[in-house]
């Protein structure tokens, strides 16, 4: 059976930048083992399989896989799939178009807004299906520094200290002193595995971040390493930025208001990505958070499976 697919570069307006994503449109009928095998064959950080929604009011159901395992939720597959489905459905519309869709993921239904613009990259934004929550586990700053090849004095900035947060997928967030430290670090997966805790049965992935950025439009610079997912380094990680929203609110002690943030990632890989995060704080708590970005289609084809 032939199944159509496309490859999108996500969290960028430029082809061959951002985070590549394979979108398999005809995912119904594929077993879990087949989807995992296809993901390993395509060898991108994530592949998303589009299936019929269980709720007829929803747009589609998504299954999200990394080369190592399935995820209940992820940012760049959500943004990329929302844009891919909108462009596929409205390819002949010919003008600007704003759409709302609901995508079913294992974390729950995810509401997405998509903006299609004629002859420009599309943009999608989604509400976090879960608010970021902190997971309190003991962490050793010195051992984290060793796993990153940094001095212990380079770990942390201002009020930010290493912590674990999740908005569906857990990450160990490691703040570092500045962009120079983030660019200079040398991630050691063996030391990381010996150092960090398991969360929800999986090794917590490393998300290193600092204030400031290479591109002046961004407020934070980040890198992500996830050996447990089969990802050496990821050029853009929306689920990690979702987790970061909780850390930003917690450590920066945000007063009530609206906070737009752009996080850059993938610079060291030559695949710069820009993830848009919006945090709304009301009554001292996050009332809503959204993640968005652009995506451009690079290729389309068929899988003969």
């Amino acid at each position: 059976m032939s199944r159509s697919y496309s490859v999108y570069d996500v969290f960028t307006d430029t082809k061959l930048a951002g985070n590549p994503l394979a979108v398999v449109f005809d995912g119904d009928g594929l077993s879990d083992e087949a989807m995992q095998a296809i993901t390993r064959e395509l060898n991108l950080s994530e592949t998303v399989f589009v299936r019929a929604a269980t709720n007829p009011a929803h747009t589609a159901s998504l299954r999200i896989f990394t080369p190592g395992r399935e995820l209940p939720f992820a940012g760049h597959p959500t943004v990329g799939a929302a844009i891919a489905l909108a462009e596929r459905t409205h390819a002949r519309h010919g003008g600007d178009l704003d759409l709302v869709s609901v995508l079913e993921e294992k974390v729950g239904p995810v509401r997405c807004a998509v903006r299609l613009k004629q002859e420009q990259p599309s943009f999608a934004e989604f509400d976090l299906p879960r608010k970021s929550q902190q997971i309190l586990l003991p962490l050793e700053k010195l051992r984290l520094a060793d796993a990153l090849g940094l001095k212990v004095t380079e770990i942390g900035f201002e009020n930010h200290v290493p912590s674990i947060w999740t908005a569906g997928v857990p990450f160990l967030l490691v703040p570092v002193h500045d962009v120079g430290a983030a660019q200079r670090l040398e991630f050691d997966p063996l030391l990381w595995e010996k150092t960090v805790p398991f969360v929800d049965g999986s090794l917590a992935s490393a998300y290193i971040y600092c204030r400031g950025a290479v591109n002046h439009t961004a407020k934070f610079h980040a890198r992500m390493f996830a050996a447990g997912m089969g990802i050496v380094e990821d050029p853009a990680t929306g689920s990690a930025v979702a987790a970061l929203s909780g850390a930003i609110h917690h450590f920066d002690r945000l007063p009530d208001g609206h906070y737009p943030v752009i996080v850059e990632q993938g610079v060291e890989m030559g695949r710069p990505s820009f993830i848009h995060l919006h945090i709304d704080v009301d009554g001292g708590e996050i009332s809503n958070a959204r993640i968005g970005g652009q995506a451009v289609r690079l290729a389309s084809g068929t899988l003969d499976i």
Side-chain angles (χ1 to χ4, degrees), residues 20-102:
L21 170 76
V23 182
V24 179
F25 294 104
D26 310 302
D28 286 309
L30 288 171
S31 67
D32 293 1
E33 294 77 13
M35 288 186 283
Q36 187 67 76
I38 291 168
T39 301
R40 291 195 185 102
E41 179 79 11
L42 295 174
N43 201 31
L44 301 177
S45 58
E46 281 153 320
T47 295
V48 59
F49 296 85
V50 179
R51 299 154 74 98
T54 58
N55 185 331
H58 296 167
T59 304
S61 174
L62 303 183
R63 298 284 297 276
I64 301 168
F65 287 80
T66 73
R69 62 185 175 93
E70 184 176 8
L71 297 178
F73 158 72
H76 106 275
T78 301
V79 167
I83 288 173
L85 288 168
E87 291 185 347
R88 182 179 172 91
T89 303
H90 301 280
R92 298 182 181 180
H93 182 267
D96 296 351
L97 189 63
D98 290 336
L99 305 164
V100 175
S101 63
V102 177

Side-chain angles (χ1 to χ4, degrees), residues 19-305:
N19 199 353
L21 170 76
V23 182
V24 179
F25 294 104
D26 310 302
D28 286 309
L30 288 171
S31 67
D32 293 1
E33 294 77 13
M35 288 186 283
Q36 187 67 76
I38 291 168
T39 301
R40 291 195 185 102
E41 179 79 11
L42 295 174
N43 201 31
L44 301 177
S45 58
E46 281 153 320
T47 295
V48 59
F49 296 85
V50 179
R51 299 154 74 98
T54 58
N55 185 331
H58 296 167
T59 304
S61 174
L62 303 183
R63 298 284 297 276
I64 301 168
F65 287 80
T66 73
R69 62 185 175 93
E70 184 176 8
L71 297 178
F73 158 72
H76 106 275
T78 301
V79 167
I83 288 173
L85 288 168
E87 291 185 347
R88 182 179 172 91
T89 303
H90 301 280
R92 298 182 181 180
H93 182 267
D96 296 351
L97 189 63
D98 290 336
L99 305 164
V100 175
S101 63
V102 177
L103 301 175
E104 298 173 357
E105 301 183 17
K106 284 202 167 182
V107 75
V110 182
R111 181 182 178 275
C112 306
V114 183
R115 172 159 292 181
L116 304 180
K117 301 199 75 174
Q118 192 171 14
E119 298 181 359
Q120 293 185 38
S122 299
F123 181 92
E125 183 178 65
F126 64 88
D127 296 323
L128 296 194
R130 295 182 186 173
K131 294 178 184 177
S132 179
Q133 295 182 330
Q134 187 174 12
I135 299 173
L136 295 173
L137 290 172
L139 301 171
E140 296 184 36
K141 184 185 290 188
L142 178 58
R143 297 189 68 185
L144 289 174
D146 289 342
L148 299 178
L150 295 175
K151 300 176 183 177
V152 69
T153 54
E154 294 178 295
I155 303 297
F157 65 84
E158 301 164 13
N159 294 328
H160 289 246
V161 297
S163 55
I164 300 173
W165 295 80
T166 180
V169 178
F171 290 89
L172 201 171
L173 309 183
V174 184
V176 296
H177 185 265
D178 53 25
V179 174
Q183 293 184 323
R184 191 172 60 253
L185 71 85
E186 295 183 5
F187 181 74
D188 187 326
L190 296 179
L191 272 180
W192 184 264
E193 185 174 353
K194 294 176 181 178
T195 299
V196 306
F198 277 69
V199 182
D200 295 337
S202 299
L203 188 70
S205 299
Y207 189 72
I208 295 90
Y209 71 99
C210 64
R211 211 182 296 280
V214 174
N215 188 297
H216 71 277
T217 63
K219 292 186 178 180
F220 289 90
H221 180 90
R223 301 179 70 178
M224 199 284 276
F225 303 87
M229 298 182 190
I231 301 169
V232 177
E233 183 171 358
D234 198 32
T237 318
S239 55
V241 175
L244 180 65
S245 66
I248 292 173
H249 173 254
H250 176 75
F251 292 120
D252 288 349
R253 299 169 184 167
L254 298 178
D256 290 1
H258 173 72
Y259 300 90
V261 176
I262 295 178
V263 179
E264 72 173 14
Q265 191 178 330
V267 173
E268 292 80 5
M269 303 175 68
R271 299 192 67 97
S273 306
F274 300 94
I275 303 172
H276 295 248
L277 168 66
H278 291 265
I279 304 172
D280 294 315
V281 180
D282 186 28
E285 301 293 335
I286 295 178
S287 59
N288 187 40
R290 304 183 304 280
I291 285 178
Q294 295 173 294
V296 289
R297 183 166 58 86
L298 178 69
S300 293
T302 57
L303 300 172
D304 295 326
I305 296 175

